[in-house]
């Protein structure tokens, strides 16, 4: 990957930073105060943040964030700690648009020490399950390196280790082809599009704190993690966008990766359990080219729920609905995910399942939705962008009331 291109993309950004950090913040007597801007050097001294390695839970996320910030110079800190505003919080995308459509500091600009510290933040903040949470996020980033390698050799290479059932049957243009302006939050369109693990961005919107309100904002191509903290607790674990291309591959060391296997298999188990009559009730009349509530579609939940009401399912099928939801919720730390799943279980009888296209999740346009009083999950298959003879996945998890920690109104 080209760090020069990444640096150029970062220079084009105009994200609004937290004034205290930009001015230089130092720890004094247990509190933060602004450092004197007048210094004898051209470069401000980097702020130092408190770290307690004994912290647990969400406090450990704050300490990990502070440990990462302590590895950065003042300019890097100013690129990372930004204002918690609606404009910054909603600036995420599924596109490979680098820093033109999302805020934060890019992984490609970090040293090995800084990158390890950044990954430690993610490991503490995300779930610990195999194939979900941190493990899933890191595999998603690996997939973008596979795309970068494939694109550099052929724009239409066969997918590595792809299964026969993942063959695209349509030549429809996928919606994440990087053309024109990004869908939300960016400063411009072309010139910043790139694949690779160096083009993932980490930002703290608001100063990480055990008492205040702030957001961990991380993402890149096919990934957007938005976790909002308020008074030491997770107030929202959504929106969470996750997609993948290729859907599976085998690395040089023989390791096979399939980052969205649990996500896909949970949906397949659910739709596969439906009777002919239930399938007819769950079928949507519309066709879909992408998820409805992707980037730039905050608050645009359909007014009327569609499909089959979960209360009409058998107890066994209702458990399959919860199992299908879980991989998306498991993005966040295990304790928070457990609480969210309890909430969605209480609301299950007022939740609806629906689909469009087929239920095999192996053909362009196959689409499944779960829509409850709180939970919203979409899964769609699209024709591949780099591996054009294969399908790839787009999905999104939202919450009707908890997106961005309920900090913003989109009515």
């Amino acid at each position: 990957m080209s760090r020069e291109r990444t640096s150029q993309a970062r220079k084009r950004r105009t994200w609004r930073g937290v004034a205290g950090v930009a001015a230089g913040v130092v720890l004094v007597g247990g509190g933060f105060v602004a450092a004197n801007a007048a210094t004898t050097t051209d470069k401000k001294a980097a702020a130092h943040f408190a770290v307690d390695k004994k912290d647990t839970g969400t406090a450990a996320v704050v300490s990990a964030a502070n440990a990462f910030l302590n590895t950065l110079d003042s300019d890097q800190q100013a690129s990372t700690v930004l204002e918690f505003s609606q404009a910054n919080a909603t600036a995420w995308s599924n596109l490979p648009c680098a820093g033109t459509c999302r805020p934060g500091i890019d992984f490609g600009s970090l040293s090995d020490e800084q990158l390890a510290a950044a990954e430690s933040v993610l490991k503490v903040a995300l779930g610990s399950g195999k194939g979900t949470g941190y493990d899933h996020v890191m595999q998603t980033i690996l997939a973008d390196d596979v795309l970068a390698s494939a694109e550099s050799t052929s724009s239409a290479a066969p997918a590595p280790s792809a299964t026969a059932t993942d063959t695209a049957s349509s030549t429809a243009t996928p919606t994440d082809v990087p053309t024109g302006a990004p869908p939300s939050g960016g400063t411009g369109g072309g010139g910043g599009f790139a694949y690779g693990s160096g083009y993932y961005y980490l930002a703290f919107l608001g100063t990480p704190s055990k008492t205040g309100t702030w957001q961990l904002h991380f993402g890149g191509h096919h990934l957007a993690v938005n976790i909002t903290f308020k008074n030491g607790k997770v107030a929202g674990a959504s929106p969470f966008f996750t997609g993948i291309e290729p859907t599976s591959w085998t690395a040089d060391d023989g390791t096979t990766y399939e980052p969205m296997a649990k996500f896909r298999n949970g949906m397949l188990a659910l739709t596969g359990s439906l009777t002919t009559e239930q399938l007819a009730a769950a079928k949507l009349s519309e066709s879909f080219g992408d998820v409805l509530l992707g980037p730039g579609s905050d608050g645009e939940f359909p007014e009327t729920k569609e499909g089959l009401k979960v209360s009409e399912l058998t107890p066994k099928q209702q458990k399959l609905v919860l199992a299908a939801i879980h991989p998306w919720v498991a993005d966040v730390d295990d304790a928070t995910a457990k609480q969210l799943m309890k909430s969605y279980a209480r609301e299950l009888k007022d939740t609806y399942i629906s689909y469009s296209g087929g239920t095999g999740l192996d053909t362009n346009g196959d689409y499944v939705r779960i829509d409850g009083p709180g939970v919203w999950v979409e899964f769609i298959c699209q024709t591949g962008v780099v591996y054009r003879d294969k399908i790839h996945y787009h999905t999104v998890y939202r919450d009707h009331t908890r997106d961005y920690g309920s900090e913003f109104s989109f009515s």
Side-chain angles (χ1 to χ4, degrees):
M1 74 198 68
S2 168
R3 292 192 178 185
E4 180 182 356
R5 289 177 65 193
T6 306
S7 177
Q8 290 172 349
R10 190 170 72 251
K11 289 177 181 177
R12 289 195 296 270
R13 294 199 305 273
T14 57
W15 309 110
R16 297 182 60 189
V18 174
V21 173
V25 181
V26 294
L27 186 66
V28 178
F32 291 101
V33 299
N36 190 328
T39 63
T40 57
T41 62
D42 292 333
K43 193 169 187 178
K44 304 180 187 76
H48 183 77
F49 298 86
V51 175
D52 186 346
K53 294 182 179 180
K54 296 181 181 179
D55 279 337
T56 59
T58 57
V61 180
V62 175
S63 280
N66 286 348
F68 170 61
L69 290 173
N70 288 342
T71 70
L72 306 181
D73 64 33
S74 59
D75 290 340
Q76 290 175 312
Q77 288 180 351
S79 294
T80 304
V81 184
L82 306 169
E83 180 184 8
F84 183 33
S85 65
Q86 183 169 320
N88 282 345
T90 59
W92 55 271
S93 177
N94 62 286
L95 291 174
C97 44
T100 66
C101 60
R102 53 182 65 88
I105 190 166
D106 53 286
F107 272 18
S109 69
L110 301 179
S111 68
D112 290 346
E113 176 193 9
Q114 292 168 334
L115 183 59
E119 291 176 351
S120 292
V121 178
L122 298 177
K123 190 169 186 177
V124 174
L126 301 177
S128 65
K130 185 176 181 180
T132 59
Y134 177 76
D135 183 44
H136 165 72
V137 164
M138 299 310 290
Q139 288 190 48
T140 301
I141 296 172
L142 281 177
D144 227 48
D145 281 334
V146 175
L147 286 184
S149 177
E151 189 193 39
S152 68
T153 57
S154 171
S155 62
S161 303
T163 62
T165 59
D166 287 339
T167 300
S169 62
S170 170
T171 57
T173 302
T175 59
D176 56 355
V177 173
T179 57
S184 66
T187 57
F193 296 113
Y195 298 118
S197 55
Y199 296 99
Y200 285 75
Y201 290 72
L202 177 62
F204 305 140
L205 307 185
T207 302
S209 167
K210 300 175 186 178
T211 57
T213 300
W214 66 285
Q215 184 187 108
L216 191 161
H217 188 98
F218 177 71
H221 183 221
H222 279 155
L223 183 67
V225 174
N226 298 282
I227 303 176
T228 306
F229 299 86
K230 187 183 299 183
N231 298 323
K233 296 182 179 179
V234 174
S238 55
F240 172 45
F241 185 102
T242 182
I244 202 70
E245 184 184 9
T247 58
S248 66
W249 72 94
T250 299
D252 291 342
D253 65 0
T255 302
T256 297
Y257 295 93
E258 194 174 0
M260 296 201 67
K262 284 193 174 181
F263 299 76
R264 179 177 182 264
N265 291 344
M267 287 296 197
L268 287 177
L270 170 59
T271 58
S273 76
L274 301 179
T275 66
T276 301
E277 292 77 13
Q278 289 171 331
L279 284 169
K283 182 80 171 182
L284 296 170
S285 60
E286 311 100 309
S287 297
F288 298 88
D290 204 348
V291 295
L292 282 180
L293 298 186
S297 299
D298 297 297
E300 298 180 7
F301 297 97
E303 293 183 4
T304 303
K305 297 189 184 302
E306 299 178 279
L308 176 63
K309 199 171 185 180
V310 174
S311 60
E312 299 177 17
L313 300 180
T314 67
K316 183 177 180 180
Q317 289 175 316
Q318 291 181 17
K319 289 181 179 179
L320 290 176
V321 176
L322 289 175
I325 293 169
H326 183 261
W328 283 271
V329 179
D331 167 60
V332 74
D333 72 272
D334 298 348
T336 300
K338 185 177 181 180
Q339 291 303 312
L340 284 168
M341 288 304 300
K342 286 182 178 179
S343 176
Y344 298 150
R346 289 193 296 268
E347 300 170 344
L348 196 60
K349 291 186 177 181
D350 292 317
T351 298
Y352 288 73
I353 60 172
S354 57
Y355 74 98
S356 179
T359 59
L361 297 181
D362 56 7
T363 303
N364 183 67
D366 285 0
Y367 171 90
V368 181
R369 179 195 304 170
I370 301 174
D371 181 16
V375 70
W376 171 278
V377 174
E378 295 177 87
F379 190 121
I380 192 165
C381 297
Q382 290 189 334
T383 302
V385 176
V386 175
Y387 302 111
R388 296 176 187 173
D389 59 339
K390 306 296 178 182
I391 58 95
H392 78 292
Y393 308 142
H394 279 190
T395 79
V396 70
Y397 158 54
R398 286 184 178 266
D399 189 292
H400 285 261
T401 62
R402 298 179 181 89
D403 277 3
Y404 307 106
S406 309
E407 287 294 306
F408 310 115
S409 175
F410 300 101
S411 58

